[in-house]
Amino acid sequence: MRAFVHEGNAINYTAIEDPVVKSGQVLIRMKVSGLNHRDLKIPQRRGDDRTPLILGSDGAGIIEEVGDAVTNYAIGDEVIINPGLGWKENSDAPPEGFQIVGMPDHGTFAEKMVIEADYIEKKPSHLTWEQAGVLALSALTGYRALFTKAQVKKGDTVFIPGAGSGVATFILQFAKAVGARVIVSSRSEEKRDKAVSLGAVLAIDTNENWHEQLRNEMIDVVIDSVGSATFNRSLAVLKKGGKLVTFGSSTEDEVTLNLRQFFYGQYQLLGSTMGSRQELREMLEFVDKHQIKPVVDAVFQLTEAKKAFDYLQESKQFGKIAIQISPI
């Protein structure tokens, strides 16, 4: 079969052995995979490892073969991949042994994929293949940050620095669906306009004075994945007693925090990452109930995966990037 792999300091579209189905597993003919920032970092983490590794954590396809002991799925079922392995029930943090599809084991950027039947779910019927293929990782991350951690509800005001990422776009859609108000920031006027068209009540320029821009707002929750570049600015516009949820760091990991200001402000700082299978299923029910559709910015063929990586690296997208594996 053909796949997009990392192998010894290089990422390439190449031929690789077909996977073999074992007991409890299914073989999926992949239709579409979703590209995530995690995929950009894996080649750096693996260095010059010459063992071919199929990249990719997100994807959707059709079951072509079912292993022994699989009773809840059949050949022909349309499914999505659960990218979080080993985290089934909701908990305060991932359990020991939690892994994400695509490292250390093979991922989704291939014509075929074998995975345990415990880590697939039925494809939401209202979604296209492109939408289904980009859904799970980013939407699950956003769902946990917004609802499990921040417990956002109707009437809350949520501020998202850095509009345009896949997770930020899902958070905007989810928050709007429950009646929360969403404010975003971006350096890009085009992304600010798109965020407003998607339901944001206000979109401010990241380079402007946030205090001035948000002087008439009471921010209940900030969900920040930018890191050190925005952390203290986010904290400064949060209402006293408000919640700041962080699930990533696209800038530097370390921040300087004024503890006295923090505890006098009675702020709540919450870390979040991915989510459990329980939350994934809750998210899929939520998406179906509200008929939410992922924003797909661009679709690349598997043969063009390098171009897709470059496109994401340049942060050109608003929403998700899909990689088409087979005809849809």
Side-chain angles (χ1 to χ4, degrees):
M1 68 175 182
R2 307 296 292 184
F4 191 70
V5 307
H6 172 258
E7 182 178 10
N9 290 324
I11 51 176
N12 292 300
Y13 174 72
T14 188
I16 196 166
E17 285 187 21
D18 283 14
V20 177
V21 177
K22 299 179 181 178
S23 179
Q25 297 180 331
V26 296
L27 184 147
I28 301 169
R29 169 71 65 175
M30 299 300 295
K31 289 289 188 179
V32 175
S33 295
L35 182 62
N36 294 285
H37 278 94
R38 177 177 188 270
D39 304 316
L40 303 182
K41 298 175 182 177
I42 287 177
Q44 300 170 8
R45 291 167 58 188
R46 297 188 80 232
D48 61 357
D49 191 330
R50 295 189 175 278
T51 305
L53 177 73
I54 300 171
L55 300 172
S57 302
D58 264 331
I62 299 175
I63 294 178
E64 281 199 343
E65 186 178 345
V66 175
D68 295 340
V70 176
T71 59
N72 51 342
Y73 292 99
I75 293 172
D77 283 349
E78 299 180 349
V79 297
I80 65 169
I81 306 297
N82 175 357
L85 307 179
W87 188 5
K88 294 183 178 179
E89 302 303 321
N90 191 17
S91 55
D92 290 338
E96 291 296 324
F98 171 69
Q99 295 179 355
I100 300 174
V101 169
M103 183 176 173
D105 297 325
H106 286 315
T108 61
F109 295 166
E111 292 173 332
K112 300 177 183 179
M113 181 182 184
V114 164
I115 191 168
E116 291 184 23
D118 281 349
Y119 296 105
I120 57 175
E121 301 291 337
K122 293 291 181 66
K123 169 184 170 290
S125 60
H126 72 286
L127 299 184
T128 65
W129 281 114
E130 290 95 341
Q131 293 164 345
V134 304
L135 177 69
L137 191 149
S138 293
L140 175 58
T141 300
Y143 186 90
R144 179 175 173 85
L146 188 68
F147 296 123
T148 305
K149 292 291 187 173
Q151 298 181 345
V152 166
K153 60 187 183 303
K154 182 178 180 179
D156 285 349
T157 297
V158 180
F159 178 47
I160 309 170
S165 74
V167 181
T169 306
F170 281 119
I171 291 172
L172 196 169
Q173 292 175 287
F174 292 171
K176 180 187 175 186
V178 297
R181 302 173 69 253
V182 181
I183 300 171
V184 304
S185 78
S186 176
R187 293 183 176 85
S188 165
E189 182 179 1
E190 181 181 3
K191 289 184 179 182
R192 295 196 299 270
D193 290 343
K194 287 182 178 179
V196 170
S197 69
L198 204 58
V201 298
L202 180 64
I204 64 174
D205 190 331
T206 301
N207 296 321
E208 296 295 327
N209 184 315
W210 288 5
H211 272 294
E212 179 63 24
Q213 297 287 316
L214 301 176
R215 64 185 182 279
N216 296 322
E217 298 291 342
M218 184 70 73
I219 308 296
D220 299 289
V221 174
V222 177
I223 302 184
D224 189 329
S225 65
V226 179
S228 62
T230 57
F231 183 88
N232 280 296
R233 297 179 74 192
S234 295
L235 198 59
V237 298
L238 186 62
K239 77 173 188 180
K240 297 295 191 293
K243 300 172 184 176
L244 195 160
V245 182
T246 176
F247 65 85
S249 178
S250 56
T251 56
E252 294 181 11
D253 293 346
E254 296 185 6
V255 298
T256 300
L257 179 64
N258 186 312
L259 285 177
R260 190 169 300 277
Q261 289 180 2
F262 187 84
F263 63 68
Y264 272 135
Q266 302 283 306
Y267 299 113
Q268 301 174 64
L269 176 60
L270 303 166
S272 188
T273 185
M274 285 283 289
S276 63
R277 184 180 67 178
Q278 178 182 340
E279 289 165 303
L280 175 66
R281 290 174 174 175
E282 291 172 0
M283 181 272 289
L284 291 173
E285 290 180 6
F286 184 88
V287 165
D288 184 63
K289 175 183 176 181
H290 296 282
Q291 292 292 285
I292 292 171
K293 297 180 179 180
V295 177
V296 179
D297 179 275
V299 180
F300 293 83
Q301 300 299 309
L302 183 60
T303 55
E304 304 173 305
K306 279 186 178 180
K307 292 182 180 179
F309 272 56
D310 291 341
Y311 188 77
L312 181 59
Q313 187 73 57
E314 294 166 7
S315 298
K316 292 180 177 180
Q317 87 290 351
F318 183 91
K320 295 294 298 181
I321 298 170
I323 297 180
Q324 184 176 327
I325 309 294
S326 60
I328 53 179

